[in-house]
Amino acid sequence: MTSVEGALKVRVAAKHDEAVDICSFELVRADGGPLPAFSAGSHIDVAVPGGLTRQYSLCNAPDESHRYQIAVLRDPKSRGGSAGMHDRVRIGDELTISYPKNHFALAHDARHHLLLAGGIGVTPILCMAERLAAIGASFDMHYCTRSRARTAFVDRIALARYAPRVQCHFDDGAHSQKLHLAALLARPEPGTHLYVCGPKGFMDAVLNTAREASWADAQLHYEFFAAEARETAGDERFEVEIASSGQVVVVGKGKSVVAALAAAGIRIETSCEQGVCGTCLTRVLTGEPEHFDAYLTPDERAANDQFLPCCSRSKSARLVLDL
Ligand code: FES
């Protein structure tokens, strides 16, 4: 069910340790040609050895066509994605990846961009900083990590001409260098757009602080890496109806809509299977979904006319899907 759409064959041209538990990979086209263009904030799906597909943001400058660069944090709770990249992918290996996709684009009409990165969330943010610096746009970047040893790309940032626009904040550092979100976000200026990527706790803190300070949703841009594990013991069985055929499929406890439909011969394209990437987005014609994704905005969730069937369920006894 998991797949890489529009597959490209690439070769691993370089692999570097960037920080404790963080490796970067430089990917070049296996046939030696230029890679498809991408914009800041884009990610690729990577078919990881072992059969999983994972999304990684591109972190090199978007005007480069000779390589894609990604960086991967080793997750101690890895289901095989990050461990597969760290332990099984070597220089010279061939990988299958998707064309770049962008669900986290820069707002090019913004007057100022405020970039906030937490840990490995620096990858798309760094790409944005490179792009904004290249086009002479106004921006500031804050980069929060647990410690300097866990901070990827510090040397690259220090050598960049936009280095004065970047402040690093280390959890184990002095109080004076810590990021004070409430002060930073206290006054949303019209024309300023905020971008945040990082672990869920960091993103929740940034987005909640921004919303409390009355930032408009249109000014907030974010990308989650993975949805939080949730308790499934209370899940109830429900039905989904396929609008085009009238077929009804039962989704039992502990089974996803995608899996229940697959068992009935109805395939929905998926990628992350964690409610993060948006690949499986499906329109809902009737019924009330129970959203468990990290992809839809609060307004999109409230509209209840679409959901992510790889992870979301139903509050009503039946959902009618536009399939
Ligand atoms: S497959 Fe990624 S959100 Fe469903």
Side-chain angles (χ1 to χ4, degrees), residues 253-274:
K253 291 183 179 195
K255 198 160 200 180
S256 71
V257 176
V258 162
L261 290 177
I266 302 159
R267 185 175 186 276
I268 293 184
E269 190 73 40
T270 62
S271 181
C272 70
E273 298 185 330
Q274 299 179 81

Side-chain angles (χ1 to χ4, degrees), residues 28 35 37 41 44 49 69 76 140 163 233 255 267 272 279 286 297 321 323:
V28 299
L35 288 158
I44 52 172
Q69 187 186 36
D140 289 301
K255 198 160 200 180
R267 185 175 186 276
C272 70
T279 302
T286 311
T297 65
L321 305 182
L323 291 172

Side-chain angles (χ1 to χ4, degrees), residues 99-182:
Y99 279 68
K101 309 173 199 181
N102 199 341
H103 304 311
F104 189 38
L106 287 166
H108 282 290
D109 55 348
R111 288 206 290 272
H112 182 73
H113 305 262
L114 182 57
L115 311 179
L116 300 185
I120 193 63
V122 73
T123 47
I125 296 291
L126 189 55
C127 185
M128 290 175 165
E130 302 265 353
R131 177 64 184 158
L132 293 170
I135 61 175
S138 169
F139 77 96
D140 289 301
M141 172 174 161
H142 293 267
Y143 182 11
C144 301
T145 58
R146 285 161 58 190
S147 66
R148 196 178 193 291
R150 292 187 169 274
T151 306
F153 305 118
V154 262
D155 295 336
R156 172 167 153 191
I157 292 169
L159 291 172
R161 67 192 163 85
Y162 58 81
R165 309 228 61 92
V166 183
Q167 286 182 51
C168 290
H169 309 274
F170 305 121
D171 289 353
D172 64 354
H175 182 74
S176 57
Q177 55 86 60
K178 297 229 166 125
L179 179 60
H180 297 290
L181 275 178

Side-chain angles (χ1 to χ4, degrees), residues 1-60:
M1 189 65 51
T2 302
S3 63
V4 170
E5 315 164 7
L8 275 173
K9 290 278 181 216
V10 292
R11 184 171 50 76
V12 179
K15 178 180 178 184
H16 295 292
D17 288 329
E18 299 287 350
V20 172
D21 287 341
I22 298 177
C23 249
S24 70
F25 299 83
E26 189 173 310
L27 310 175
V28 299
R29 198 159 172 146
D31 63 10
L35 288 158
F38 68 99
S39 51
S42 294
H43 71 269
I44 52 172
D45 298 341
V46 177
V48 178
L52 293 171
T53 299
R54 287 290 177 262
Q55 288 71 44
Y56 297 110
S57 295
L58 297 176
C59 56
N60 53 311

Side-chain angles (χ1 to χ4, degrees), residues 57-81:
S57 295
L58 297 176
C59 56
N60 53 311
D63 57 358
E64 294 185 343
S65 60
H66 66 289
R67 66 170 187 157
Y68 291 152
Q69 187 186 36
I70 58 173
V72 180
L73 170 69
R74 182 190 287 278
D75 178 355
K77 293 184 273 186
S78 172
R79 292 190 292 150

Side-chain angles (χ1 to χ4, degrees), residues 269-281 295 308-311:
E269 190 73 40
T270 62
S271 181
C272 70
E273 298 185 330
Q274 299 179 81
V276 172
C277 71
T279 302
C280 66
L281 190 67
Y295 178 80
L308 282 313
C310 65
C311 63

